[in-house]
Amino acid sequence: MESPISILDIPLIQDQIALNLATQDLVACALVCRAWSEAFNPILWNFIRIGSTIQQRRFIRVQESARYRSHARTLTTAYPLSSSLSPSCAVLPNLTRLKCRLNASCQQNEGIVETMFLFIQAHESLITVQLSSLTVDHTFPGIFERCVKDHPSLTSLDLSIRGFISVEDLSKVLNDCTRLERLRLRVATYLYYEDAWDIIPEKLMGDQRNCRLTDFAIDQEHRCVFDPVILQFLERCPLLRTLSLPLSKGESTLISLGPLISAHCPQLQHLQLGRATQTGLAAVLQACSAGLLALTMPVACLNAVPAILAHRRTLMKLDLLTGMGLQSASELFSITNSCPQLKDLALKVKFFDSSRDALGANEETLARLLSQDWVCTNLENLTLELQDCATERPRLPYIEYMYQQLGRLTRLKSLWMNFGKERGLLELSQGFRDHLQSLAGLKDLDRLRIDAVEQASVDELIWITTQWPNIKL
């Protein structure tokens, strides 16, 4: 007679059980019997965190036991010590992810940065590495090159460095990252005073035909100083699909970025920009010929919407929450009436009275917008920060129109609305409360946040939880 099948013989069920167990529960399961030990030990030792002395001793135990260390896939720590990390050999042969944050006291130990990279170099199975707050000096580029340039499996690197670094050093670091697929680089540092920032070594920024980067983000101080390095580096990224330049300040840089994207990054579809004037914004957005799927940027210039709407047929995510925000209701409705693919939308909108709104659109255009239904009915996540600058009462007709359209977003899962005015928050009754019934059809809503000056009543909370069974307030 065949023995019955155990639930542990079905990996999917076993994984679901393990996901709901704390560490001490996994330990208890692994001690039940040999079969349970074989089933739960790989899960128990899959993720290792070093955040205390006890956890550090646990990690040392893993290093010393071949039985356990082969199960480790992820290692995360807030303060790696030399005694914890053994760079001389691959003590965790199947490690695929490393996340590490070096604090100031740890980095007082001489050679800790080199020890960290030797540990990475020894673990050839690593795919993803995240290193935060690394204090570097003139030796860093050489250490980095030996570790990253020829690492066989590393494809994703998140690196935050501080200290003193030259333009030449940054060029060397970027040059060694061309074999990666994803690079997130934060440079919170100072330049060498003797550094000639306007001279970029040609041998460091030469052609790299085998550049594999598809996702590149850089966030740095001294933005304008490093701009030439970044622009030349982007010329070697033909496969780039995601680009983030959140601290971009130079108008000339953005104007140069447009033709560069058009000529060298034809596949770019996800873009995050810092503040930009109309000229710089238009140059960059027009260059994205593949059609943007996601755009994040602060609105720091008037009449930015037309340039954004050039990608209305492809945009799936749009975040304009930071910055001065849209200047009229007509700008909000021109987006919601024109972007059928949108799933994530975050906007700041200032509602003015009729005379001010005419700055955004004339009366005929505004009337046409108010006669159309929103086409972005696939929205799943919506964040609206509404600032009421209107001086006329009763409230403008587009407020009621807006809530009627919100009620049609039946796929909406997350809704966050912040009601503001020129001074303080609006009363809840001046908008959301008056139109609550219009939102009764949002049955898939599971997250709701409303920022207003007064709290909802008990009756309103009962109505919300009844209408939206999955809601989390």
Side-chain angles (χ1 to χ4, degrees), residues 105-363:
S105 61
C106 172
Q107 296 188 70
Q108 292 175 0
N109 298 331
E110 186 177 354
I112 186 64
V113 173
E114 184 174 6
T115 299
M116 188 73 253
F117 277 94
L118 285 174
F119 181 85
I120 295 172
Q121 187 176 1
H123 290 77
E124 297 184 349
S125 59
L126 275 171
I127 298 174
T128 300
V129 172
Q130 294 175 261
L131 302 178
S132 300
S133 303
L134 239 64
T135 300
V136 302
D137 56 23
H138 67 280
T139 65
F140 175 71
I143 296 172
F144 185 84
E145 179 181 8
R146 290 192 297 272
C147 173
V148 174
K149 188 173 183 180
D150 298 317
H151 198 288
S153 62
L154 188 64
T155 60
S156 178
L157 175 64
D158 288 53
L159 181 63
S160 173
I161 58 178
R162 59 190 181 189
F164 288 86
I165 187 170
S166 66
V167 171
E168 182 175 349
D169 290 343
L170 180 64
S171 302
K172 291 178 180 178
V173 169
L174 289 175
N175 188 62
D176 294 331
C177 291
T178 53
R179 60 167 305 280
L180 302 176
E181 295 179 6
R182 180 181 180 274
L183 174 63
R184 300 285 193 194
L185 181 61
R186 176 169 176 78
V187 186
T189 184
Y190 299 97
L191 296 172
Y192 289 129
Y193 294 110
E194 68 273 15
D195 189 40
W197 61 266
D198 57 336
I199 301 176
I200 304 172
E202 292 295 333
K203 64 179 180 179
L204 296 176
M205 303 304 291
D207 184 33
Q208 289 285 342
R209 299 182 185 276
N210 297 322
C211 182
R212 296 161 53 185
L213 270 180
T214 61
D215 185 343
F216 175 56
I218 186 164
D219 187 357
Q220 70 216 30
E221 298 173 3
H222 305 291
R223 173 70 187 147
C224 295
V225 174
F226 284 131
D227 275 351
V229 178
I230 305 305
L231 291 175
Q232 290 198 26
F233 178 70
L234 290 176
E235 292 181 4
R236 301 182 291 161
C237 302
L239 303 180
L240 200 65
R241 297 175 61 87
T242 300
L243 174 63
S244 177
L245 300 173
L247 292 185
S248 181
K249 298 177 182 178
E251 174 69 8
S252 60
T253 300
L254 284 176
I255 294 176
S256 302
L257 183 62
L260 188 152
I261 290 175
S262 179
H264 302 283
C265 308
Q267 300 184 39
L268 191 65
Q269 294 183 320
H270 302 262
L271 180 64
Q272 180 178 353
L273 290 175
R275 294 183 178 273
T277 63
Q278 179 65 23
T279 304
L281 174 67
V284 174
L285 296 187
Q286 290 174 5
C288 300
S289 57
L292 288 176
L293 300 180
L295 173 63
T296 300
M297 57 167 285
V299 179
C301 53
L302 297 174
N303 301 318
V305 173
I308 296 170
L309 290 182
H311 301 273
R312 61 184 179 274
R313 299 190 183 279
T314 56
L315 271 175
M316 300 179 68
K317 179 180 180 180
L318 179 62
D319 187 342
L320 306 178
L321 195 60
T322 56
M324 68 170 60
L326 303 181
Q327 297 298 294
S328 67
S330 58
E331 290 185 320
L332 166 64
F333 300 144
S334 63
I335 291 174
T336 55
N337 294 0
S338 306
C339 302
Q341 307 300 327
L342 273 179
K343 291 187 176 181
D344 295 86
L345 178 63
L347 297 174
K348 180 190 296 183
V349 187
K350 297 182 179 181
F351 290 92
F352 293 104
D353 55 36
S354 298
S355 61
R356 292 289 302 278
D357 200 55
L359 294 175
N362 57 40
E363 294 184 4

Side-chain angles (χ1 to χ4, degrees), residues 342-345 376-383 406 408-416 441-449 468-473:
L342 273 179
K343 291 187 176 181
D344 295 86
L345 178 63
C376 57
T377 55
N378 292 323
L379 273 175
E380 297 180 359
N381 302 291
L382 176 62
T383 300
L406 285 177
R408 297 179 59 247
L409 305 178
T410 56
R411 299 185 181 182
L412 204 62
K413 296 179 180 179
S414 173
L415 176 62
W416 178 18
L442 307 184
K443 302 300 182 182
D444 290 340
L445 200 65
D446 58 21
R447 293 184 301 276
L448 174 67
R449 176 174 174 179
W468 306 326
N470 301 321
I471 198 65
K472 299 175 183 176
L473 296 175

